[in-house]
Amino acid sequence: MSGTGTADRTAEEEHGDLRRSLGFRDLVVYGLLFIAPMAPVGVYGTLDAKSHGAVALVYVVATVAMAFTAFSYAQMVRVVPQAGSVFAYARAGLGKEAGFVAGWMAMLDYLLIPAVAYLFSGIAMNSLVPEVSRWVWTAFAVVVTTLLNLWGVRTAARVGFLVLAMEIVVLLVFVVSAVVVLARDGAERGWLSPLSGDGTQGAFALSAVIGAVSVAVLSYLGFDAIASFAEEVTGGSAKVARAVLFCLALAGVLFVAQTYLVALLDPTTSAQYARDPGRQGSAFYDAVDSAAGTWLHDLVAVSKAIGAAFAALAGQAAAGRLLFAMGRDRRLPRALARTDSGVPRVALLCAAGITLVAAVWAARRDDGMDHLVSVVDIGALTAFTLLHASVVGWFAVRRRGGPVIWWRHVLVPVAGAAITVAVIVEASGAAQVVGALWLVAGLAVLTAQHARRSPADEATGR
């Protein structure tokens, strides 16, 4: 017995706790960095074409839709305040197998979304300094942000706050410039058209707006990463819940405001974007350039380049916490649960290595961005669906959270699950195939783990 006790103590020392050092502001910084305040810039043209010009309405509806998921996160982080987020919630509400599946699917999202952001930063920097290959800029961004994450979550949050402040200032400059241009020259489209459509593709169609929402909700991926820091926040898990809800609400306001304004400035109609998909990617920049001049175009582009790298920093930090939690639970190699001065450096380095390979591979291919973007969202949406199910499992089925409040513990999560499933159905065929293959791989790993479980693991329920 004494030998076993010594081994257990040694294991605890090697796999220590995370350091509690984050406040509410730090959580909001991480959430907004991962989301990116100007996330609609890259998808504005696509959404305008899909929604027949009602692009601001798309973000109103998308904010409401994602509020269901944010609410479920807020419910579970209060009762399961652990690193790993949806992995821990599904494990508690649905069982350890469902927890593994949720964590496995979230891993696909958390490891590849930073790769997309790093690639975006590399492409932007290459456009400014074309003498340096974009894969070199991409790798440089990975190295710099990884070093900040290894330095500690508090230090990374402080630097991230400065970058976020810069992004907010650029957004405010855009808003003020847009208002000045609109007051001086008037709007290119009708003042209500961003909410009702521009009429160039026929009458207002709700189905077109809903179809665009399936793309717009992807702009919000990242607010959920806040829950991954539940073991590093001071003052209790209620602070994490408030930060999740606050980030989503603030992002919604910013997204609606900027898409409303740029739609009014845009001389190109939604029908023209629909006929010429090649113009959709640069639609936001083109509208700003034609209305306010090249200087604002360049300012927004530089802000996006820097902001993308730090969005990846927040994503990498969240990925490290997910790997740490799954390693601590022995669902991934135990070495991932090692901490050094409260920092999960092994997990962070593992996440950084995978992201670096994916980002540099994509940066060296002309179609690399398309390949990455097509698969990053399926993992998150599947994990969100299991999150909603875990709320029902914890509160309504297992009745672990006191009296059941049906609208809170059943109605909202069921509606949220219906939304995430609908978005998965609307995803591209390639993304669905990759998601299915990743799920099959996870189930194979789970089966292998069951096959080699020891009697001690059976006794502890691992």
Side-chain angles (χ1 to χ4, degrees), residues 66-439:
M66 292 309 296
F68 289 93
T69 296
F71 190 78
S72 287
Y73 266 106
Q75 293 294 300
M76 292 305 297
V77 75
R78 287 187 171 97
V79 296
V80 188
Q82 297 177 13
S85 182
V86 68
F87 163 69
Y89 308 153
R91 192 180 193 282
L94 302 174
K96 53 187 179 295
E97 288 81 9
F100 173 83
V101 172
W104 182 264
M105 296 307 294
M107 197 190 314
L108 182 64
D109 168 51
Y110 280 4
L111 292 175
L112 291 186
I113 276 189
V116 173
Y118 284 129
L119 178 55
F120 189 94
S121 181
I123 291 172
M125 289 303 299
N126 174 251
S127 69
L128 297 172
V129 188
E131 294 81 9
V132 180
S133 299
R134 64 182 184 179
W135 75 265
V136 175
W137 283 119
T138 300
F140 178 74
V142 175
V143 172
V144 170
T145 53
T146 299
L147 289 174
L148 283 171
N149 271 327
L150 292 174
W151 199 346
V153 67
R154 181 64 175 164
T155 300
R158 285 171 178 164
V159 177
F161 176 76
L162 297 177
V163 174
L164 181 62
M166 178 270 296
E167 292 187 86
I168 295 296
V169 168
V170 172
L171 180 56
L172 289 176
V173 170
F174 161 74
V175 169
V176 171
S177 300
V179 170
V180 170
V181 171
L182 290 170
R184 183 187 64 205
D185 303 328
E188 293 286 346
R189 301 184 184 183
W191 290 97
L192 293 180
S193 64
L195 298 170
S196 60
D198 62 3
T200 60
Q201 298 186 66
F204 173 80
L206 181 60
S207 60
V209 173
I210 298 302
V213 166
S214 68
V215 177
V217 295
L218 307 180
S219 298
Y220 296 84
L221 295 185
F223 75 90
D224 53 295
I226 296 172
S228 298
F229 301 100
E231 292 182 37
E232 295 164 269
V233 65
T234 59
S237 58
K239 188 179 293 184
V240 181
R242 291 198 305 272
V244 169
L245 296 170
F246 178 80
C247 267
L248 178 67
L250 182 56
V253 171
L254 295 177
F255 293 172
V256 171
Q258 65 193 273
T259 52
Y260 176 83
L261 289 172
V262 77
L264 294 180
L265 295 174
D266 196 351
T268 306
T269 67
S270 66
Q272 289 173 313
Y273 285 133
R275 288 194 299 268
D276 187 5
R279 301 177 62 182
Q280 295 175 9
S282 61
F284 194 106
Y285 294 111
D286 293 341
V288 169
D289 198 358
S290 65
T294 304
W295 70 272
L296 186 55
H297 169 286
D298 293 343
L299 183 62
V300 171
V302 171
S303 173
K304 285 293 293 179
I306 298 173
F310 281 83
L313 173 143
Q316 183 192 94
R321 271 67 185 176
L322 175 61
L323 295 178
F324 165 83
M326 295 184 74
R328 183 173 60 184
D329 201 54
R330 298 182 184 179
R331 292 298 178 179
L332 290 178
R334 184 71 167 159
L336 293 170
R338 293 180 183 275
T339 59
D340 181 7
S341 301
V343 179
R345 291 198 169 96
V346 175
L348 283 170
L349 286 171
C350 182
I354 295 171
T355 300
L356 175 64
V357 170
V360 171
W361 171 84
R364 295 176 67 89
R365 296 173 57 97
D366 292 336
D367 59 353
M369 179 67 81
D370 291 338
H371 281 294
L372 282 181
V373 170
S374 66
V375 302
V376 297
D377 308 311
I378 290 294
L381 293 167
T382 305
F384 288 170
T385 304
L386 289 171
L387 161 72
H388 292 301
S390 70
V391 175
V392 177
W394 177 270
F395 291 98
V397 178
R398 297 190 174 187
R399 296 180 181 269
R400 300 285 297 276
V404 179
I405 304 174
W406 290 101
W407 72 267
R408 180 191 296 257
H409 300 146
V410 178
L411 182 59
V412 169
V414 167
I419 291 169
T420 55
V421 169
V423 177
I424 291 173
V425 171
E426 290 289 332
S428 69
Q432 292 172 344
V433 169
V434 171
L437 291 175
W438 183 254
L439 175 60

